[in-house]
Amino acid sequence: ELTRRLTELAIRHNVVVVHTHFSRFDIAAALAKVACALKWRTFHLVWHMHSAFGPEASWSRRLKDLMKLRVLGRFCHSVPVSGPLGDDVRERGFPPDRIHVIQNGIDLDHATARRRSRAEVRRQLRVADTATVLLGFGWTPIRKGVDTMLEALRSLANRGEPAVLVLVGSEELKQYLNKWPDRAWLEAVRVVPPEEMVGDLFAAADVFLSPSRAEGWCYAVAEAIANGVPAAAARIPAVSWAEQAPGVLFSPPEDSEALADNIRRFLALTSEERAQLADMAKEFIRTRHSVELWGRSVWELYASLLGWNKSPGGRSSAVLS
């Protein structure tokens, strides 16, 4: 059904570019490309690749990669969101000349918009105004390093530096926490559902935690420093873009003690030092990773695929997600 609808849209609107963002649409669009070719219509297909590949899995996963990346990839273009992800895509068989790395960009206005004050958000989280609040995203707990966050929380408490850990996630996160063996520390954990206005959550936080084992690029680190919240992150290839960013400290993946030490370093900053760091961090995101820069890079890719040297006229392009 999805393939049929995409085929109809492409033919009806004389589409020249289809840009997909999720696997379900990737395959359907590839089949639609074939269907259009049978009717003497063609378009360029671009797969946006956001997520890191997991560790080598079963034969079925390897077969899926073979069919999608090596076979269908010959008729598509891919846009990995980071250099390391682009390397991974190439190593898995995608044609190198069809890989176009475009680092993610964030909508600064949306990422920093706030509907509630810091005090209001903290009241809703049942957190005292003077408490240290650590914020982390845990939709996929193992990949996001929720265990490392919990162990760092315990390390802080054992040294007389208690904090509250606010984790954003869904049912998978709740199930993970229900199985966590050390129940005592869960009293200092607050689980909240995802919010459209992430600025409200960053308003309540003192430090953002991102000890992920794998990422595609990590919007959240960029959103944190855009909000003036320092980020303690795992040093993994996909977050190497942030090594030059003010307000980001790195530790080895799964090293909870090193993560706790970086949290302490941020908490030791004076209010003046913290404000100066926040200003520099916001400027870093604005000048290097804004959605405007991202959009310009995507448009330049479209223009190169179509051979356009100036703004097009007459034909349309479609981005499907």
Side-chain angles (χ1 to χ4, degrees), residues 18 20 26-27 30 33 44-49 53 61-62 64-80 84-101 301 305:
V18 173
T20 62
D26 292 348
I27 303 303
K33 182 178 174 69
H44 294 279
L45 176 56
V46 179
W47 289 342
H48 218 92
M49 297 185 172
F53 291 91
R61 176 70 209 198
R62 290 194 292 270
K64 178 181 177 182
D65 285 349
L66 175 66
M67 292 300 297
K68 180 177 179 181
L69 301 181
R70 289 181 181 269
V71 179
L72 294 180
R74 295 168 58 196
F75 309 100
C76 309
H77 294 266
S78 69
V79 178
L85 182 56
D87 293 339
D88 203 359
V89 170
R90 183 177 62 254
E91 290 170 3
R92 289 169 183 266
F94 204 97
D97 61 336
R98 289 177 169 268
I99 298 173
H100 315 271
V101 174
L301 171 60
L305 295 179

Side-chain angles (χ1 to χ4, degrees), residues 115-136:
R115 297 172 298 183
R116 295 170 289 171
S117 68
R118 175 181 173 91
E120 183 180 358
V121 177
R122 282 177 164 239
R123 282 196 301 272
Q124 293 174 348
L125 293 171
R126 296 174 287 110
V127 175
D129 290 342
T130 57
T132 295
V133 172
L134 311 174
L135 174 65

Side-chain angles (χ1 to χ4, degrees), residues 238-253:
V239 193
S240 60
W241 62 269
E243 290 181 0
Q244 299 176 6
V248 182
L249 291 176
F250 291 93
S251 57

Side-chain angles (χ1 to χ4, degrees), residues 38-314:
L38 294 174
K39 298 183 180 182
W40 302 100
R41 298 294 182 92
T42 185
F43 58 78
H44 294 279
L45 176 56
V46 179
W47 289 342
H48 218 92
M49 297 185 172
H50 299 269
S51 301
F53 291 91
E56 288 299 332
S58 63
W59 65 268
S60 60
R61 176 70 209 198
R62 290 194 292 270
L63 179 60
K64 178 181 177 182
D65 285 349
L66 175 66
M67 292 300 297
K68 180 177 179 181
L69 301 181
R70 289 181 181 269
V71 179
L72 294 180
R74 295 168 58 196
F75 309 100
C76 309
H77 294 266
S78 69
V79 178
V81 297
S82 70
L85 182 56
D87 293 339
D88 203 359
V89 170
R90 183 177 62 254
E91 290 170 3
R92 289 169 183 266
F94 204 97
D97 61 336
R98 289 177 169 268
I99 298 173
H100 315 271
V101 174
I102 299 178
Q103 292 198 29
N104 272 336
I106 66 168
D107 183 340
L108 284 165
D109 290 338
H110 184 269
T112 59
R114 297 178 179 180
R115 297 172 298 183
R116 295 170 289 171
S117 68
R118 175 181 173 91
E120 183 180 358
V121 177
R122 282 177 164 239
R123 282 196 301 272
Q124 293 174 348
L125 293 171
R126 296 174 287 110
V127 175
D129 290 342
T130 57
T132 295
V133 172
L134 311 174
L135 174 65
F137 292 169
W139 347 95
T140 50
I142 297 297
R143 175 172 289 193
K144 293 294 186 182
V146 170
D147 54 332
T148 309
M149 298 187 215
L150 292 170
E151 290 163 1
L153 181 69
R154 178 174 60 186
S155 176
L156 291 170
N158 285 340
R159 298 191 189 186
E161 303 167 320
V164 174
L165 174 60
V166 177
L167 290 173
V168 182
S170 55
E171 190 60 33
E172 184 179 357
L173 173 62
K174 293 178 182 177
Q175 292 177 4
Y176 180 84
L177 293 175
N178 286 338
K179 297 176 182 178
W180 187 253
D182 197 342
R183 310 300 300 173
W185 302 111
L186 296 185
E187 294 182 2
V189 176
R190 308 285 188 272
V191 177
V192 298
E195 291 193 20
E196 176 66 22
M197 307 300 288
V198 293
D200 288 350
L201 292 173
F202 287 117
D206 297 298
V207 181
F208 178 72
L209 308 185
S210 182
S212 300
R213 291 174 168 86
E215 290 283 358
W217 185 80
C218 196
Y219 272 99
V221 169
E223 290 172 337
I225 56 181
N227 277 279
V229 179
R235 189 179 297 280
I236 57 176
V239 193
S240 60
W241 62 269
E243 290 181 0
Q244 299 176 6
V248 182
L249 291 176
F250 291 93
S251 57
E254 303 181 14
D255 191 336
S256 59
E257 288 300 326
L259 178 63
D261 287 342
N262 284 342
I263 294 170
R264 294 186 188 96
R265 290 172 63 184
F266 282 134
L267 296 179
L269 295 174
T270 66
S271 57
E272 292 78 11
E273 290 171 332
R274 192 179 179 97
Q276 184 179 26
L277 198 63
D279 288 341
M280 292 190 296
K282 292 174 185 177
E283 183 66 9
F284 176 88
I285 294 298
R286 187 187 69 79
T287 57
R288 301 196 188 193
H289 296 291
S290 69
V291 72
E292 290 82 8
L293 292 173
W294 175 87
R296 191 176 306 148
S297 296
V298 171
W299 175 253
E300 289 171 355
L301 171 60
Y302 293 167
S304 69
L305 295 179
L306 299 168
W308 286 337
N309 296 318
K310 57 183 181 179
S311 297

